[in-house]
Amino acid sequence: AVVSTQSTGVNKDCVVVGTKCNRLLEINVQNGLKREISLMRSPYPREVPNQSAGIHAIALNPSKSFMATGGVNVNDLALYTLPDYQPYAVGEFHQSWLFGISWINDFMLCTGARDGNICLWTIFDVDGFSTYEPDCGLFRKTPIEILKTEGVDRIRDTHFSACCDRLGSIAYGKDKYDAKMCILDVRKPLKNRVIELPQKNENIVITGHDTTPVFAVGSLSHLMLIDDRDPSTSDITSVKILEPAQGIRSLSFQGNIITIGACKTSLMFYDVRNRQYVHDYEYLPVKRKLSHGYVNENWDWHMHRYNFYPPSTSDVISIMTHCYDDSGLRLFAAGGPLPLDLVGNYAAVWE
């Protein structure tokens, strides 16, 4: 059993899912067939961290010709060619878990990691930053730019907003409540603009609007909207989620609607334009409670249930990832138990 942590749609029938147990799977949502994609290993492997939280990021370039994700070593960047998932390159620099990947264009991408660095990479074979290893048929790459911001110890997630050429990232200082958002204008010399976030607990996911410089950040109890149309002010609005301390684990924009994946297998929908949750015909907020999923009810599960949770397995399943197809009419949602020592999963397609 696996726990889904990240996903992306590669075509109308298939999604690629990464797991906390560090596996990469292609799932055909039409027939349910799964195939495992081999994780990439560097020809000169570095020491793998003793504790691994698996794959936290999967991203396709705009033309869907390359896929970027993590490798056997969770600190490495792995690049595959699509649609055949052929290994292309391993990127080696980060000294801790890779948490965020964002493509700037078809040829350049940024990564953020728990070491506090944001790195800029290119798929081109650039002298000094790329070496071809003929024995394994891979390029070994190093970043063409490295950005370390003062006071930032960890990067938790990244999102590139193509409409304004800005990279937003969630960052933390040494204190676990020292939550910030860093905004980088890639058209200018690489320097982060740092914004203190009003909500400090468990800010782990960021997304952005397609056509306006508005970012959304999810925390334990609030959705934060950062309007960056005027960089001198960066107006921040905090919206309480429908259940207190439920925890936002995945976010996406679909037009002016933000889809929110949360703990306790919940999906919620927030209308940015009208500044309210989407309501049903009885004017009640639309909240989709998904099915229970699967949890291995081993000793660890029983200890967690006794100490922390009610009996239902749905109370430990979090929607850690979701993505829409190109039509916007089908939604893939997946997740699993939040605690690292629990094993389980949930995956479904909603229409």
Side-chain angles (χ1 to χ4, degrees):
V2 295
V3 178
S4 305
T5 61
Q6 188 57 259
S7 67
T8 189
V10 291
N11 57 49
K12 66 183 180 67
D13 293 330
C14 296
V15 293
V16 173
V17 173
T19 74
K20 276 189 175 180
C21 55
N22 215 36
R23 296 172 67 191
L24 197 60
L25 306 170
E26 182 195 66
I27 302 175
N28 188 309
V29 298
Q30 296 286 4
N31 55 30
L33 293 178
K34 299 180 288 291
R35 68 160 167 156
E36 188 156 0
I37 302 167
S38 297
L39 287 181
M40 220 175 291
R41 188 187 302 271
S42 169
Y44 301 97
R46 301 182 291 165
E47 183 179 355
V48 177
N50 291 330
Q51 188 180 33
S52 166
I55 293 173
H56 277 87
I58 304 171
L60 308 184
N61 67 341
S63 67
K64 294 189 176 183
S65 56
F66 279 90
M67 180 178 76
T69 185
V72 170
N73 188 327
V74 294
N75 302 350
D76 288 346
L77 170 69
L79 291 169
Y80 296 83
T81 59
L82 294 176
D84 51 3
Y85 306 110
Q86 285 298 308
Y88 176 76
V90 172
E92 301 168 302
F93 176 79
H94 288 298
Q95 302 304 307
S96 192
W97 304 343
L98 186 65
F99 272 149
I101 300 173
S102 298
W103 287 88
I104 305 301
N105 52 40
D106 255 354
F107 316 108
M108 301 183 73
L109 67 157
C110 281
T111 57
R114 207 173 64 157
D115 59 7
N117 291 304
I118 291 177
C119 296
L120 182 65
W121 312 75
T122 178
I123 63 173
F124 293 126
D125 184 12
V126 178
D127 288 343
F129 303 102
S130 185
T131 305
Y132 186 68
E133 301 289 344
D135 291 342
C136 58
L138 286 178
F139 285 97
R140 292 179 67 208
K141 291 186 175 290
T142 54
I144 59 175
E145 292 278 358
I146 301 163
L147 178 62
K148 179 71 173 179
T149 302
E150 185 177 353
V152 170
D153 278 24
R154 290 169 289 149
I155 300 295
R156 195 57 187 81
D157 196 13
T158 64
H159 177 83
F160 179 69
S161 181
C163 69
C164 57
D165 288 333
R166 294 173 198 162
L167 180 78
S169 57
I170 302 172
Y172 278 90
K174 291 183 178 179
D175 188 283
K176 68 176 182 178
Y177 298 117
D178 184 14
K180 318 168 192 288
M181 179 176 171
C182 299
I183 298 179
L184 172 69
D185 190 333
V186 299
R187 298 168 297 187
K188 300 177 181 178
L190 293 186
K191 184 178 180 181
N192 263 327
R193 179 160 44 88
V194 179
I195 302 168
E196 295 292 328
L197 292 175
Q199 307 301 327
K200 305 295 185 182
N201 281 353
E202 298 186 32
N203 299 332
I204 64 168
V205 61
I206 184 172
T207 189
H209 196 278
D210 292 334
T211 58
T212 58
V214 174
F215 293 94
V217 172
S219 74
L220 180 65
S221 57
H222 288 76
L223 171 70
M224 288 173 281
L225 301 173
I226 297 94
D227 189 336
D228 203 50
R229 279 174 283 201
D230 183 356
S232 64
T233 59
S234 295
D235 180 52
I236 301 177
T237 302
S238 292
V239 180
K240 284 186 178 181
I241 59 176
L242 294 176
E243 289 189 19
Q246 193 167 8
I248 296 175
R249 302 297 163 185
S250 58
L251 288 172
S252 69
F253 265 101
Q254 191 73 5
N256 291 310
I257 305 298
I258 301 177
T259 302
I260 302 168
C263 297
K264 300 184 180 180
T265 57
S266 296
L267 282 174
M268 295 162 275
F269 307 90
Y270 186 79
D271 187 333
V272 176
R273 177 175 293 171
N274 295 314
R275 300 201 172 193
Q276 63 179 8
Y277 283 98
V278 176
H279 291 80
D280 61 17
Y281 66 94
E282 294 180 342
Y283 209 70
L284 296 173
V286 173
K287 180 181 176 183
R288 292 288 177 258
K289 185 78 171 177
L290 310 184
S291 62
H292 294 310
Y294 163 76
V295 176
N296 185 350
E297 296 185 7
N298 55 16
W299 174 254
D300 290 325
W301 154 247
H302 287 290
M303 289 301 295
H304 272 279
R305 191 178 71 167
Y306 178 77
N307 290 313
F308 304 110
Y309 296 108
S312 173
T313 56
S314 65
D315 289 315
V316 300
I317 298 285
S318 299
I319 302 302
M320 297 180 183
T321 181
H322 65 264
C323 58
Y324 286 88
D325 69 358
D326 290 339
S327 72
L329 300 177
R330 290 194 301 173
L331 171 66
F332 174 79
L338 200 57
L340 276 174
D341 54 349
L342 296 187
V343 176
N345 58 63
Y346 170 88
V349 176
W350 290 73
E351 296 192 52

